[in-house]
Structures are given as C-alpha cells and as structure tokens.
Amino acid sequence: MRSVDRDGGQLEMSQTDFYALAERNLPGAGLGGYSLPEDVRFIIKRGVGSRLQSVDDRWYIDYVGGAGANILGHAHPAVVEAVQQQVARGLHYFGTLNDVAVELSEKLHRIIPCAEKITFTTTGSEATFYAMRMARAFTGRNKILKFEGAYHGNHDYSAVSVFPSAPANYPVGSVDTGGVPDALPSTVLIAPYNELEVVENIVAENKDDLAAIIVEPVQRIIFPEDGFLQGLRRICDANDVLLIFDEVVTGFRVALGGAQEWLGITPDLASYGKIVGGGGPLGCVAGRADVIERANPKHKGSSDFAYVNGTLHGNPVAAAAGLSTIEVLEGPGFYDALHEKSRQLTTALQEVLDRHGLPAIAAGRRSLWQILFLRAEPHNQTDVMTSDQARMRELDLELLKRGIYVLPGVRRFVCAVNTDEDFDQTVGALDEACEVIKH
Ligand SMILES: Cc1ncc(COP(=O)(O)O)c(C=O)c1O
C-alpha cells in the first residue's frame, strides 16, 4: 500500500503503520462508534461486491454493509457510472437547487407513502433531528416520546436510553453520553417498545406537551408485534400527536416504500438516510405537506418556522448515487430475491447453532439479521439487555477472525450481491466459531 508523506514522497504503508498513525491521530484509533480489539481490527482498502479488502490484503465478507446503506454491495456498476458522471459536473453546489436532487425528490414522492413533501438533509441523524424540530414547530409543544433501545442518531435528543444498563423508570430515561445539557432529557420521554399500554398512559399524562412519538418501525433487531405500530398510529390520532417513523434503516430496505409500505401504516413524518443516498452523504425527511411546509424559508421569523439548512443538503453526487441505487431496487423481483437470500442464510445459521446446542437464535426478517443468545425473538430492549451479551460478543469476534465482517453485538445485513459462496463460507466460519466458544 502506498501513501504520500507530508513532504510529498511515496511511502510503503502496512496495516501496522496505518494503525500507528490512527492511534496517534484518532480517539480509539477509530471513526467514533466502534473500536475492535487489536487481533481482529483491520483497515479497509476497498470494497468489491459483497466483500471488503484490507490494506494487508485480507478479504472479508461484509455483513456490516455500510451500516445498512450498501444494499447493492460495493461499487455496483450502475452506481459507479452515475457517480462518475456527476463528479465530472461538480461535487458540490449550494444555495440553489440542482437537477439531480429535484429528480430524486420526485422519485421519493412517488415511492414513499407518506411523502407529500420532502426536505433534504446530509445524514440520518439530521433527518431525525429535523423531524423532531418540525414536529415541535408545527404543534408548538416541546416533548418527544422515544423508545428504550431505539437509536435515532448522534444528536442530544437521541442520546437518551439508547444503551441503558437497566430498564428505565418510564418515562424517565438515562442519558447515554456526557455533554448533554441538563435541561434536555426532561423533553425526551422513554417507553418500552412493543408495550402499547405503557405508551398510552405516558401519552395521556403528557399530551399537552407532547409533539411526537418517534419510532424505529423495526427497532434494531426487534420486530413490531401485531398491532403495535397500528396502536401508535391510533394513540397519536386520538391525542393529536405526530407519528414519526425513523426509516433510516428500514427505508428501501424492508421494501421499496420502507416499513410503512411493508406494514401498511402511514406516519406523519419519516426520516431517511443510508440507502436514499446510495451510501453517500444524503438523508431526508418526508411527510405531510402541512408539517414539512414549516421548513419553507418564507416562514422565517414566525414561531412555527422550522429552520432546515446545511452545506451538503441535497448533495448532487449523493443524490446521483441514491437515484441510481433506487432504480436498481425498482427492478422486478428485487426484494423477493433479497429476502429469500436472507432467509436461506438465517436458516443455515440457525441449523449450525442448534447442532452445537447453543441457546442462541439467528434472528431477523427481510434482509436484517443478528445472532442473539436468546431462546426467542426479543420483545423489547429488556430482552436484549438480559440476553448473554458477553457470549454474543465472543462469537462475533470469532467470526471476525474468520473473515466475516460483523460488528460485535450489532445488527447486520444481507445485500443483493451476496453469493452462495459467501453463505457457505459464513456457515463454515460459524461452525468453527461455535466450536471455540462452546464451554
Ligand atoms: C434508525 C437510525 N436512525 C438514525 C441513524 C443515524 O443516521 P446517520 O448515522 O446517517 O446520522 C441511524 C444510523 O445508524 C439509524 O440506524
């Protein structure tokens, strides 16, 4: 691997050299969220289809999938071509619309059930942040209800009870990070996922202050039980509270029109990231025209104006990546094939776990999956918390050692270009990993 030193000379760099620089420059020698142990960590050089190559030329089957963004794997030819064409016309403009972003907005309007209007952002975090802001501006109320264990991004309003160590004293949550202003957590109410009655009571007690309920329709690897999301819709309607779906992961993943299409429930607002920008820096909030209209700059100065703006909003390269990705997703049978692939993988993984007599499940549906040390699919975050997380981590690290790229304890994805060979190799790796951790 070659790199350029500060004086412009060429250097040969090994993975160890890269880590020496990373240790010096980056906290945890990482990109923020994850820091893998030294014996399994690696530095990515490139992605090809369903695989990643490290700078020391090891190959990994990539189930992290860009945190869900890479539904087509790496360097899909249609996406590469669209991005190259756009790059040649400019990486970035600002202040005035670009043709690709408008084209993408029309595509989203046609695909996403709730999308009467759309406003672009750069990331999924911004999309949930702005959805909450628009909900507050529209309703004139301060509070947002979120679910224990739900992740809505990196901003302060999301950083409550994402990683609790014990169940919350609902609706009071626990703050996950330092640096959150003392006054903020009282505006974020916490409820357990899949527990309608608790939600109903919290809403009844807070309805005069409550702007919205935000929910991941599939919360991490926890799927909604029958009636749960329908119940949220009903509670929101009955109390004049907005329902926000965080579709940053589920959007274009569980169906072209996301969870709202799959489950037949239309929220007032929905937040997107990841696939909508084809893995590039783009997100959006879609939803009811009267709510999204709060972001219209003509309302500046009024108390129900919701300021939405960012240097990279509607970035044309990311919009080109998103458009070309969505065009592939629109192809006939795309989702049936993807879901079937995933079903085959989880079935094969479950057989291995059972053969080794491990009390674990290959949980998942559609193209989301994860191995959990539980006997049945989790009902909510309490189940995840009480599962054997140390053993799950041990197993995931053994998979990593065998060239299966998963992040310990994090939900993972099948992509459209995963092959039978990938799955055979994954099943073989799991077999060996189970042998190692059986004790
Ligand atoms: C459900 C959900 N919401 C929001 C986000 C934040 O998106 P981003 O990392 O693009 O800011 C994520 C990221 O993983 C997510 O999974």
Side-chain angles (χ1 to χ4, degrees), residues 42 44 46-53 59-74 253 345 369 400 403-407 412-418 422-423 425-426:
F42 64 103
I44 299 166
R46 65 172 172 155
V48 181
S50 59
R51 298 193 179 216
L52 291 171
Q53 187 180 22
W59 283 92
Y60 293 80
I61 301 171
D62 180 9
Y63 290 110
V64 174
N70 303 334
I71 193 167
L72 301 180
H74 298 281
R253 167 65 61 182
L345 176 67
W369 68 278
L400 263 168
I404 309 300
Y405 182 37
V406 292
L407 289 170
R412 47 217 59 164
F413 303 91
V414 166
C415 73
V417 294
N418 272 127
D422 292 343
F423 291 169
Q425 206 174 313
T426 307

Side-chain angles (χ1 to χ4, degrees), residues 123-125 128 151-153 216 220 246 248-249 274 411:
T123 64
S125 297
T128 62
Y151 181 66
H152 301 297
E216 287 186 79
R220 313 285 85 197
D246 178 348
V248 171
V249 167
K274 303 188 194 277
R411 177 225 18 231

Side-chain angles (χ1 to χ4, degrees), residues 330-378:
E330 288 175 312
F334 177 89
Y335 285 94
D336 287 345
L338 180 68
H339 301 155
E340 177 54 21
K341 254 184 214 289
S342 196
R343 198 194 56 74
Q344 282 171 9
L345 176 67
T346 48
T347 305
L349 297 179
Q350 188 65 59
E351 277 167 18
V352 177
L353 296 168
D354 291 345
R355 184 152 35 80
H356 286 272
L358 287 172
I361 52 166
R365 256 171 266 171
R366 304 268 147 159
S367 53
L368 311 161
W369 68 278
Q370 188 176 342
I371 295 175
L372 299 171
F373 278 78
L374 281 174
R375 294 280 183 190
E377 285 208 343

Side-chain angles (χ1 to χ4, degrees), residues 201 209 260 278:
N201 291 337
D209 298 325
Q260 45 193 294

Side-chain angles (χ1 to χ4, degrees), residues 26-273:
L26 306 168
L31 294 174
Y34 304 93
S35 187
L36 291 172
E38 279 187 29
D39 60 334
V40 295
R41 67 186 187 175
F42 64 103
I43 288 178
I44 299 166
K45 176 163 75 176
R46 65 172 172 155
V48 181
S50 59
R51 298 193 179 216
L52 291 171
Q53 187 180 22
S54 70
V55 295
D56 67 354
D57 290 330
R58 282 197 67 187
W59 283 92
Y60 293 80
I61 301 171
D62 180 9
Y63 290 110
V64 174
N70 303 334
I71 193 167
L72 301 180
H74 298 281
H76 187 284
V79 181
V80 171
E81 195 192 333
V83 167
Q84 281 175 342
Q85 279 183 13
Q86 178 53 45
V87 166
R89 298 198 284 150
L91 274 176
H92 167 58
Y93 329 114
F94 178 71
T96 295
L97 269 171
N98 64 75
D99 52 355
V100 212
V102 177
E103 225 184 299
L104 179 60
S105 75
E106 177 56 19
K107 183 73 92 187
L108 302 180
H109 173 68
R110 282 192 282 113
I111 289 175
I112 300 171
C114 76
E116 291 172 4
K117 274 194 189 286
I118 290 116
T119 183
F120 285 115
T121 69
T122 315
T123 64
S125 297
E126 275 189 65
T128 62
F129 173 84
Y130 283 124
M132 293 184 199
R133 177 179 283 175
M134 283 189 264
R136 289 193 211 91
F138 180 79
T139 59
R141 302 183 207 131
N142 279 330
K143 292 182 182 170
I144 304 283
L145 185 151
K146 80 175 273 289
F147 292 92
E148 190 170 42
Y151 181 66
H152 301 297
N154 48 27
H155 54 80
D156 290 351
Y157 299 96
S158 167
V160 187
S161 288
V162 182
F163 315 110
S165 48
N169 176 23
Y170 311 116
V172 180
S174 53
V175 180
D176 299 304
T177 171
V180 173
D182 291 346
L184 187 141
S186 64
T187 68
V188 181
L189 307 176
I190 300 299
Y193 188 77
N194 271 332
E195 292 283 351
L196 265 186
E197 220 179 294
V198 182
V199 177
E200 201 140 26
N201 291 337
I202 295 173
V203 172
E205 277 163 30
N206 292 275
K207 61 191 259 186
D208 293 341
D209 298 325
L210 190 62
I213 295 178
I214 186 166
V215 62
E216 287 186 79
V218 176
Q219 184 177 298
R220 313 285 85 197
I221 197 65
I222 311 172
F223 286 81
E225 288 166 10
D226 279 352
F228 176 62
L229 295 173
Q230 290 85 345
L232 294 185
R233 180 70 276 177
R234 176 180 50 74
I235 292 169
C236 285
D237 288 344
N239 293 281
D240 205 15
V241 165
L242 297 178
L243 179 62
I244 305 171
F245 273 9
D246 178 348
E247 294 240 40
V248 171
V249 167
T250 51
F252 306 96
R253 167 65 61 182
V254 296
L256 187 64
Q260 45 193 294
E261 177 192 307
W262 177 34
L263 302 165
I265 300 152
T266 306
D268 299 296
L269 294 176
S271 301
Y272 292 81

